Amino acid sequence: MAGFLRSRRERMAPIGNGRRRRTPGRRREEIAEAAGVSVDYYTRLEQARGPHPSVSVLNGIARALDLDADERAHLFRLAGAAVPEEPASTSVRPGVRLLLDRLRDDIAVVISDLGDVLAATPRAEVVFGDVVGRNLLRRFFLGQESWVPAEDVEELARAHVADLRATVARRPAAQSLVDELMASPLFTRLWAEHDVAVRRSARKRLRHPVAGLLEFDCEVLVAPEHDQRLVIHVAPEGSVTARRLALLVSSGEAAGRLPQPWTPVPVSQSSA
């Protein structure tokens, strides 16, 4: 830890009028003041002879050294302390937003690792309705209605549960969502099986209340922090789903989006 602290301090730009120094970076006095600790205390940490730092001290030093999330986590591990948990996503990360903006003509949504829909393309809102701000896991396990065909419920439920267990391993605070979902007998049964797997690309089937049965190839792009996923729904070119989506989208976009309750549009009898 002493070596890490020294290396981070020495890479920082000096404070002041730019006068030349014999050593690079900032002075220990400057870091100690910014961290809210004594100079002697911080000096002993850099010399590997200091006391075991508390969580509050580590947070202060991380701020003073302007550590990013990965460096901060590394500092906590070096100190033998539990890495503080990052808060759940509430807004779309800039890089993910850029990708979403370039997919305006596609059916794409951004979902947090806790199942919260953070953003959607206009095309996705036409197809799925007002999903932004809703939690897909609560809707799936605790909702009264589902677009998932009955024969697909078990497989999709297993995927949801295994993914949530992987999230809980990274984010212990997600246990509160698990406790809430225990009101579902299906969730409770599958949670007891202890399967763990992060959701990746898959085939998805939905029984749309207007267009009937839709089949998508879903591509899942996971942010480096693993807290957000960009999910793109693709209908194979020339498929029945592609034709139904074309009709659904043309009708919905003419009205801005599908009204609530949905107004049915003509589809073939096989979609029933």
Side-chain angles (χ1 to χ4, degrees):
M1 184 178 69
F4 180 69
L5 293 177
R6 288 194 302 272
S7 70
R8 299 304 91 176
R9 176 175 59 82
E10 291 172 356
R11 73 172 185 174
M12 300 183 74
I15 297 176
N17 57 11
R19 290 177 297 176
R20 296 178 62 87
R21 294 181 178 179
R22 294 182 179 179
T23 57
R26 296 188 183 175
R27 296 186 176 93
R28 288 171 177 163
E29 294 86 343
E30 295 166 341
I31 300 300
E33 181 180 0
V37 298
S38 69
V39 177
D40 178 67
Y41 182 93
Y42 182 77
T43 299
R44 283 185 288 140
L45 287 179
E46 279 203 5
Q47 294 175 346
R49 58 186 183 88
H52 189 83
S54 66
V55 170
S56 62
V57 168
L58 291 172
N59 280 323
I61 292 174
R63 289 192 301 270
L65 294 174
D66 195 23
L67 302 185
D68 61 25
D70 292 333
E71 292 170 331
R72 179 170 174 264
H74 184 60
L75 173 62
F76 272 73
R77 293 189 185 99
L78 290 175
V83 178
E85 185 176 340
E86 292 295 324
S89 302
T90 57
S91 60
V92 181
R93 295 186 179 278
V96 179
R97 169 62 70 181
L98 178 62
L99 289 174
L100 190 69
D101 290 343
R102 295 182 177 182
L103 294 169
R104 289 184 59 84
D105 294 332
D106 295 287
I107 303 170
V109 295
V110 178
I111 305 172
S112 75
D113 55 0
L114 297 181
D116 296 316
V117 182
L118 305 178
T121 59
R123 187 66 54 90
E125 291 183 331
V126 168
V127 175
F128 300 133
D130 296 317
V131 293
V132 177
R134 301 189 181 186
N135 184 278
L136 298 183
L137 295 178
R138 292 188 182 95
R139 181 175 181 177
F140 181 85
F141 288 105
L142 305 177
Q144 299 299 315
E145 298 180 2
S146 174
W147 289 8
V148 180
E151 60 271 26
D152 296 348
V153 168
E154 179 82 9
E155 180 181 358
L156 183 57
R158 286 184 177 278
H160 281 322
V161 171
D163 184 81
L164 182 57
R165 187 174 283 281
T167 298
V168 171
R170 300 189 307 271
R171 192 194 304 281
Q175 183 63 44
S176 61
L177 176 60
V178 173
D179 296 340
E180 183 179 347
L181 296 178
M182 285 294 183
S184 163
L186 174 60
F187 180 87
T188 302
R189 173 170 61 84
L190 296 178
W191 187 258
E193 296 183 9
H194 292 269
D195 291 336
V196 182
V198 176
R199 290 291 301 278
R200 294 179 173 85
S201 303
R203 172 64 63 91
K204 179 188 295 184
R205 301 199 313 162
L206 299 174
R207 191 168 294 280
H208 195 277
V210 172
L213 186 64
L214 302 176
E215 298 186 9
F216 296 102
D217 291 323
C218 293
E219 296 295 332
V220 182
L221 306 179
V222 181
E225 295 80 5
H226 293 280
D227 63 340
Q228 295 183 3
R229 300 100 183 267
L230 175 62
V231 184
I232 308 170
H233 299 73
V234 180
E237 187 174 355
S239 65
V240 173
T241 294
R243 294 196 295 271
R244 292 174 179 171
L245 283 175
L247 183 58
L248 182 67
V249 168
S250 63
S251 173
E253 289 183 342
R257 69 174 58 178
L258 287 179
Q260 299 283 349
W262 287 289
T263 301
V265 298
V267 294
S268 63
Q269 293 297 319
S270 61
S271 69

